[in-house]
Amino acid sequence: MLRLVSLKLGRLYRYVKLAVLGILAAALALNSPSLLASLQRNELAERRFLQLNKCPACWGTSWCRKFLNGQLRLESWGRLRLLDFLNVKNVYFARYGEPREGSRRVVLKRLGSARELADIDAKICRRATGRGRCDLLQALHATEFASINGDVRLLTPDVVEGWSDLVHCPSQRLLDRLVRRYAETKDSGSFLLRNLKDSERMQLLITLAFNPEPLVLQSFPSDEGWPFAKYLGACGRMVAVNYVGEELWSYFSAPWEKRVDLAWQLMEIAEQLTNNDFEFALYLLDVSFDNFAVGPRDGKVIIVDAENVLVADKRLIKQNKPENWDVWYESKFDDCDKEACLSFSKEILCTRVTVDHNYYAICQNLLSRHATWRGTSGGLLHDAPAEIAKDGRLEALLDECANPKKRYGRFQAAKELREYLGRLSNNVR
């Protein structure tokens, strides 16, 4: 009965959202004489909409020619600014076209809400002048961003440590990787910071400090097998990434076989980000159904929100040997009454070689009965077939992965859960 109520609440949420959109559309059609003009206008070719005037306090300029030449156009509803209050995250869907290649769907992100973007400007002003408002471009030259100028050879940990989750505990190896793979310069490939132009260097530092998602996508690219959306380019305060597909949430009520396959992929992602040949551990600090998407053709699960990713260099941890560095760390289960709860210590993530955080985050917030999202509960693997429910093994593994009863139980449960889901979905390799 509880499961039925949860599913009904989820459907009700979708119906209410559609109804609100329908009412707003009708109101716009009746009361806005400029509706047709709004739909015909291509704001993506306008410097003001792209906030190019903010540069170099922006995300980059590598795709500005494509934007300003009109090669990108917002999809219908995205062109109506009166609906922006529904688009809190400032994420847009657009069509991008190349001559002779047709068009494809891309995702555009401002990398923050209107308030968060205004806060960026205010923080820059306060750092430079002590006031919340100022001439942004002049203020930039009085901040620590400008002090890292062309005379600085390398971007070093002592300068940027703690600026964001990505560099909460950076190693020189990680920072060299960020600079070498920086996509907003024509001369990428060098880890020397002084090889970047002044504007490029400023954009890199601003991105690193305020929203490092583009740098995660560039440094750990999908082309090399990392489970992130593909970074395409930026113009002003607008970033373009490849459209993956519908959010994971859309598959909450999919057939059991499909959900099992998605669950297996999620556990494989947790393993890849935790243990890989590069000895970088990428810990997901924000895990929810909205942060993953599924490819419509290949069914591949991809991370589409990588703002809150902490990268720990295991090689450096082994070298420095901080206190308890080789003691396995078990994340503590967080039985809170909110959605997408996680309990973690960034300091511990940065100083231990063996950590179960990613398994814990995926199991608790996506797969197990403890996962709640938009009025539903039970996680992605809810309502298992009778024979699997009767066997009890899946439920036991999920429970131990989310809230272990044995010491180091989550490590073993995660391993067995990956294998079990692989057998169920015929994905054992």
Side-chain angles (χ1 to χ4, degrees):
M1 182 62 181
L2 289 175
R3 171 68 55 226
L4 183 60
V5 170
S6 296
L7 291 175
K8 285 184 176 179
L9 285 172
R11 294 191 186 99
L12 180 61
Y13 174 90
R14 291 193 289 272
Y15 295 151
V16 169
K17 186 175 180 179
L18 289 172
V20 170
L21 288 173
I23 293 172
L24 286 171
L28 284 169
L30 291 172
N31 300 311
S32 177
S34 61
L35 177 61
L36 183 59
S38 298
L39 291 174
Q40 293 176 335
R41 181 181 175 186
N42 185 12
E43 290 182 297
L44 293 181
E46 299 177 7
R47 301 175 68 90
R48 182 176 180 180
F49 184 74
L50 298 170
Q51 297 188 20
L52 262 174
N53 61 307
K54 303 286 188 179
C55 290
C58 65
W59 316 132
T61 57
S62 64
W63 259 40
C64 280
R65 180 174 296 181
K66 300 178 188 297
F67 276 94
L68 298 177
N69 284 347
Q71 289 178 250
L72 293 102
R73 294 189 66 89
L74 291 170
E75 294 185 349
S76 56
W77 294 111
R79 303 176 198 171
L80 300 177
R81 300 281 68 79
L82 290 176
L83 296 180
D84 280 350
F85 74 96
L86 292 173
N87 187 13
V88 179
K89 293 185 177 182
N90 274 328
V91 176
Y92 304 88
F93 296 98
R95 304 298 302 185
Y96 163 62
E98 282 280 7
R100 302 177 183 176
E101 293 185 9
S103 68
R104 58 190 172 101
R105 201 180 198 192
V106 297
V107 179
L108 306 179
K109 299 182 175 185
R110 290 198 186 277
L111 300 182
S113 65
R115 175 175 293 183
E116 289 170 336
L117 294 174
D119 284 345
I120 291 176
D121 297 344
K123 287 177 180 177
I124 292 173
C125 288
R126 289 193 187 97
R127 290 178 181 184
T129 68
R131 301 188 302 274
R133 300 183 65 181
C134 66
D135 183 315
L136 190 63
L137 299 186
Q138 288 187 1
L140 276 174
H141 297 290
T143 65
E144 68 271 33
F145 304 120
S147 65
I148 308 173
N149 54 37
D151 296 328
V152 178
R153 180 173 178 271
L154 296 174
L155 188 63
T156 55
D158 60 296
V159 173
V160 300
E161 182 176 356
W163 278 16
S164 59
D165 288 336
L166 177 60
V167 289
H168 187 79
C169 49
S171 66
Q172 190 61 56
R173 189 166 68 103
L174 172 64
L175 296 181
D176 288 348
R177 185 183 182 95
L178 296 181
V179 176
R180 186 171 62 251
R181 292 168 175 257
Y182 186 50
E184 292 301 318
T185 175
K186 294 180 180 179
D187 300 318
S188 60
S190 171
F191 62 86
L192 296 177
L193 192 64
R194 66 186 182 190
N195 285 352
L196 299 178
K197 297 178 181 177
D198 289 343
S199 59
E200 295 169 346
R201 186 166 50 253
M202 189 76 75
Q203 289 163 186
L204 168 62
L205 297 173
I206 291 289
T207 305
L208 187 60
F210 292 107
N211 191 325
E213 179 176 357
L215 301 178
V216 174
L217 306 187
Q218 294 164 29
S219 301
F220 302 94
S222 59
D223 292 345
E224 296 178 7
W226 295 96
F228 298 106
K230 183 176 182 178
Y231 181 82
L232 299 175
C235 185
R237 287 188 175 173
M238 190 74 81
V239 165
V241 300
N242 193 44
Y243 173 74
V244 174
E246 294 293 328
E247 293 175 348
L248 180 63
W249 165 249
S250 301
Y251 292 82
F252 188 84
S253 299
W256 171 252
E257 293 77 11
K258 181 64 177 179
R259 289 185 282 127
V260 166
D261 175 68
L262 298 177
W264 174 77
Q265 290 190 61
L266 288 165
M267 291 301 294
E268 288 293 305
I269 288 174
E271 173 66 18
Q272 178 187 7
L273 297 184
T274 304
N275 300 304
N276 52 72
D277 294 338
F278 301 96
E279 293 191 275
F280 283 120
L282 284 70
Y283 297 117
L284 304 176
L285 305 186
D286 182 11
V287 174
S288 71
F289 282 90
D290 283 352
N291 292 347
F292 297 80
V294 182
R297 294 182 180 178
D298 58 10
K300 190 174 183 180
V301 177
I302 296 293
I303 300 168
V304 292
D305 188 339
E307 176 183 358
N308 303 112
V309 175
L310 185 151
V311 179
D313 190 335
K314 290 186 177 184
R315 196 175 297 175
L316 183 65
I317 297 173
K318 294 175 184 177
Q319 175 184 319
N320 291 344
K321 295 181 171 57
E323 184 179 1
N324 294 325
W325 67 277
D326 56 349
V327 177
W328 290 18
Y329 178 71
E330 296 179 285
S331 302
K332 295 181 179 179
F333 173 73
D334 190 353
D335 189 16
C336 73
D337 57 356
K338 298 180 180 179
E339 295 180 336
C341 289
L342 285 179
S343 174
F344 54 83
S345 165
K346 293 181 182 179
E347 284 62 38
I348 290 179
L349 296 179
C350 288
T351 55
R352 303 287 182 92
V353 169
T354 307
V355 179
D356 65 2
H357 172 83
N358 284 333
Y359 313 128
Y360 151 68
I362 295 295
C363 286
Q364 175 172 299
N365 284 5
L366 300 179
L367 304 185
S368 74
R369 60 188 175 88
H370 302 286
T372 59
W373 192 250
R374 295 184 183 177
T376 65
S377 62
L380 189 64
L381 294 175
H382 63 84
D383 296 321
E387 65 275 13
I388 293 177
K390 184 178 180 180
D391 175 71
R393 178 164 172 74
L394 176 59
E395 183 177 0
L397 288 174
L398 288 171
D399 281 347
E400 188 68 10
C401 183
N403 186 14
K405 304 300 186 294
K406 303 174 184 177
R407 188 181 185 189
Y408 302 139
R410 183 180 288 120
F411 291 97
Q412 184 62 30
K415 179 178 182 296
E416 293 182 17
L417 182 59
R418 286 168 52 219
E419 295 171 352
Y420 183 81
L421 292 172
R423 288 194 296 272
L424 286 181
S425 60
N426 297 317
N427 279 320
V428 175
R429 297 181 181 180

